[in-house]
Amino acid sequence: MNNKLYGNLIFELSKKGRCGYSLPENNFEEFSSDQLPENLRRQEPASLPECDELTVVRHYTNHSANNFGVNNGFYPLGSCTMKYNPAINEEIAAMKEFAGLHPMQPAETCQGALEVYYNLQQMLAELTGLSEFTLNPCAGAHGELTGLMVIRSYHESRHDHARTKIIIPDSAHGTNPASAAVCGLEVVEVKSRPDGLVDVDNLREVVAANSGQIAGMMMTNPNTLGLFEHDIPAIQQIVHECGGLMYYDGANLNPMLGVCRPGDMGFDVMHINLHKTFSTPHGGGGPGSGPVGVRAGLEQFLPTPRIVPADDDSSLLVKTGCQDGSLGSVGCFFGNYAVILRAYAYLLSLGRENVKMVGPLATLNANYIKESLKDVYELPISGLCKHEFVFDGLKDKSTHVTTMDVAKRLLDYGYHAPTIYFPLLFHESLMIEPTENESKETLDGFISVMRTIADEARTNPELVKTAPHQTPIGRVDDVLAAKHPIVTYRQMVNS
Ligand SMILES: *Cc1c(COP(=O)(O)O)cnc(C)c1O
């Protein structure tokens, strides 16, 4: 795109008196000041940009072309999982029969929509080996909070009020301790071993030191390093024996799909990120959906509204309120219905058999990239990973080319950068997640570019350190942008 021609801000293109659109004549009476108090009325005309039609159209079209998404190219953003988002999901979510629904309309007038909701609850229960799901939470973190509230309600229902502590591994996603704090639980950290997995001996010590106070333990599996937590059988036994419940952070469910189920591993409560595992574009912070599932015996604590079949199975009912131990409402109405629809469409279009290929393919793709690059990028934890893995920067540290430089240089080659400087366990974390949908050719292209960048770091480090060179703007000052963001346009003169 040519920024010089079309300008960065529509205000900069404004020419006094230029007009791209004329409004029909105003047939309404002029406002009089008793209808709108004087102090609320504008004293001078708003200084809106004045442009001709083509300038406006070109300005916004060219800006929109600067977006990068999964439809433009490879997006290996570990932990955030931007994956295949089939266009048919968008079409279904936009259908007026769904988009036009009102959340307060009577259940008998929207049985089809409730059926989608109910069926997805059942599918998630089957995929995870749990008893029942709520689709109400609107994000993964919101699901964590809801799940922890279920755990708290369970202990309170048993008058076991001393259980105020939750065990969280040091490798956990930052939302885990944050959700625990919002739920009023105190976080007790359990360490990772050098192999990146939960240290079971340390867990035994933590449990012994807090006897009678443990509400439960949150675990992410595969964990934030993309590693399968092999000791779950022992871990869940230790936690259950001390009276706590096991919470499964299911944001990394991709590689587990069709291979194993949290319910079978002994977990009591979990959340799933529909916007990660079951499609829905969510760049820029939304929209999301974080359904929460529970094992048999905990269903009554789930939030409302709940969609339940009528006694005679002839229709679906909406149950509201806090009867029988329910938490009550955790958000607006039924949650993010459009995301729920997309997940449902995604699962139906894959089908029962193909869903079983998601996990193995996600795992194969991640391991293929890892093994193809580990001679030039530092792999701190070797061995088989699941859907994602972490490099600790370039192997050759003498170049002083950082993970940030590599990420910026990738933009020049038309790739979205991986997740960088997360997890915090390493200094130069570069976290790569290809997802299951990418072809071998795409992965090979990425591998070859990553190798080229490693070469450049040796032969021409300045080129990498000053990247990107091909993007509309070069390297921004991250610290300045974060500390002093300018989010409004300060008008100079009304030219
Ligand atoms: C993304 C993620 C979360 C939080 O999910 P949001 O939808 O972003 O709130 C929690 N845990 C893990 C492991 C994640 O990757």
Side-chain angles (χ1 to χ4, degrees):
M1 124 161 206
N2 189 334
N3 273 307
K4 282 183 205 70
L5 200 52
Y6 296 109
N8 278 321
L9 293 171
I10 191 78
F11 288 96
E12 292 166 359
L13 302 173
S14 180
K15 288 275 175 287
K16 189 134 191 88
R18 241 348 115 71
C19 182
Y21 182 72
S22 47
L23 292 166
E25 205 166 319
N26 183 5
N27 291 323
F28 296 96
E29 280 173 42
E30 281 287 318
F31 269 124
S32 63
S33 49
D34 52 326
Q35 283 170 294
L36 203 60
E38 188 64 26
N39 64 335
L40 296 181
R41 301 184 73 177
R42 204 188 286 284
Q43 300 304 313
E44 16 181 295
S47 59
L48 298 173
E50 299 175 76
C51 300
D52 63 280
E53 181 179 343
L54 282 175
T55 298
V56 175
V57 170
R58 286 172 189 154
H59 173 77
Y60 287 109
T61 305
N62 286 318
H63 269 317
S64 75
N66 279 337
N67 274 337
F68 188 95
V70 282
N71 290 354
N72 299 94
F74 188 50
Y75 208 116
L77 194 67
S79 183
C80 302
T81 322
M82 283 297 288
K83 63 189 250 166
Y84 175 54
N85 296 298
I88 190 170
N89 293 356
E90 298 308 310
E91 279 178 36
I92 289 169
M95 280 169 69
K96 67 177 191 315
E97 290 79 357
F98 291 122
L101 287 168
H102 193 283
M104 290 177 84
Q105 72 187 67
E108 59 272 22
T109 66
C110 52
Q111 284 290 308
L114 296 183
E115 196 177 325
V116 167
Y117 202 95
Y118 183 74
N119 287 354
L120 184 62
Q121 285 179 187
Q122 303 298 102
M123 286 156 101
L124 297 180
E126 189 181 329
L127 277 164
T128 56
L130 290 168
S131 169
E132 193 162 326
F133 266 84
T134 172
L135 310 184
N136 295 4
C138 288
H142 194 191
E144 291 169 26
L145 175 62
T146 305
L148 291 172
M149 286 164 77
V150 166
I151 291 178
R152 206 182 55 187
S153 301
Y154 162 79
H155 292 305
E156 280 172 5
S157 76
R158 298 157 48 92
H159 308 291
D160 196 350
H161 301 295
R163 296 191 179 272
T164 54
K165 296 186 177 173
I166 189 100
I167 303 170
I168 301 181
D170 59 4
S171 63
H173 196 269
T175 50
N176 288 190
S179 302
V182 173
C183 192
L185 295 167
E186 193 187 322
V187 175
V188 192
E189 197 175 86
V190 60
K191 290 192 181 63
S192 301
R193 294 188 305 236
D195 66 359
L197 301 180
V198 167
D199 185 333
V200 185
D201 292 333
N202 185 229
L203 176 66
R204 284 202 185 85
E205 290 162 21
V206 164
V207 165
N210 295 280
S211 101
Q213 300 172 50
I214 300 295
M217 174 170 180
M218 297 181 88
M219 273 189 90
T220 306
N221 186 49
N223 69 19
T224 301
L225 296 171
L227 304 172
F228 191 92
E229 294 278 3
H230 295 286
D231 292 324
I232 284 173
I235 292 171
Q236 67 91 18
Q237 195 182 352
I238 294 168
V239 173
H240 281 137
E241 275 174 8
C242 86
L245 297 186
M246 288 295 290
Y247 183 94
Y248 190 101
D249 178 333
N252 294 345
L253 199 66
N254 284 38
M256 301 291 99
L257 281 182
V259 182
C260 55
R261 310 191 304 171
D264 301 336
M265 298 178 205
F267 285 90
D268 305 287
V269 183
M270 79 173 293
H271 84 264
I272 295 174
N273 294 48
L274 291 187
H275 49 291
K276 289 179 181 171
T277 307
F278 301 115
S279 88
T280 287
H282 59 274
S289 175
V292 169
V294 294
R295 68 154 164 79
L298 296 173
E299 300 95 334
Q300 68 270 27
F301 303 116
L302 286 173
T304 52
R306 276 171 73 190
I307 315 291
V308 290
D311 285 339
D312 63 0
D313 248 349
S314 64
S315 62
L316 289 166
L317 308 174
V318 178
K319 236 176 105 179
T320 55
C322 303
Q323 300 92 351
D324 315 324
S326 164
L327 298 171
S329 168
V330 293
C332 293
F333 302 108
F334 300 89
N336 246 337
Y337 190 71
V339 181
I340 289 161
L341 264 176
R342 290 180 179 101
Y344 188 58
Y346 186 71
L347 275 169
L348 283 186
S349 55
L350 276 181
R352 200 177 274 272
E353 282 310 307
N354 291 329
V355 157
K356 295 184 188 151
M357 294 175 65
V358 169
L361 285 177
T363 302
L364 176 65
N365 282 357
N367 279 286
Y368 181 62
I369 296 180
K370 170 171 67 67
E371 292 302 310
S372 306
L373 290 174
K374 70 177 186 186
D375 59 324
V376 280
Y377 289 87
E378 183 72 41
L379 183 65
I381 294 177
S382 57
L384 205 63
C385 66
K386 291 296 169 212
H387 62 305
E388 64 191 355
F389 62 93
V390 184
F391 282 134
D392 189 9
L394 281 158
K395 197 155 198 169
D396 183 354
K397 303 287 181 207
S398 71
T399 65
H400 299 293
V401 169
T402 64
T403 279
M404 174 68 86
D405 302 328
V406 172
K408 296 288 186 193
R409 185 65 178 143
L410 268 171
L411 307 182
D412 281 337
Y413 289 103
Y415 290 90
H416 195 282
T419 295
I420 57 171
Y421 299 107
F422 178 84
L424 307 175
L425 297 168
F426 313 112
H427 289 298
E428 292 289 332
S429 286
L430 186 79
M431 188 182 202
I432 297 174
E433 174 175 8
T435 81
E436 64 275 16
N437 313 99
E438 300 292 349
S439 69
K440 179 166 182 295
E441 290 71 28
T442 301
L443 302 184
D444 284 337
F446 176 71
I447 289 163
S448 136
V449 162
M450 287 290 280
R451 297 191 74 87
T452 303
I453 296 173
D455 278 344
E456 288 172 350
R458 256 187 312 103
T459 56
N460 190 357
E462 267 321 292
L463 179 70
V464 187
K465 286 179 145 316
T466 51
H469 307 284
Q470 310 292 332
T471 49
I473 52 170
R475 199 175 291 209
V476 292
D477 184 335
D478 295 315
V479 177
L480 191 68
K483 299 257 182 213
H484 302 287
I486 300 170
V487 292
T488 52
Y489 177 63
R490 223 164 282 134
Q491 201 125 27
M492 297 305 174
V493 256
N494 201 5
S495 58

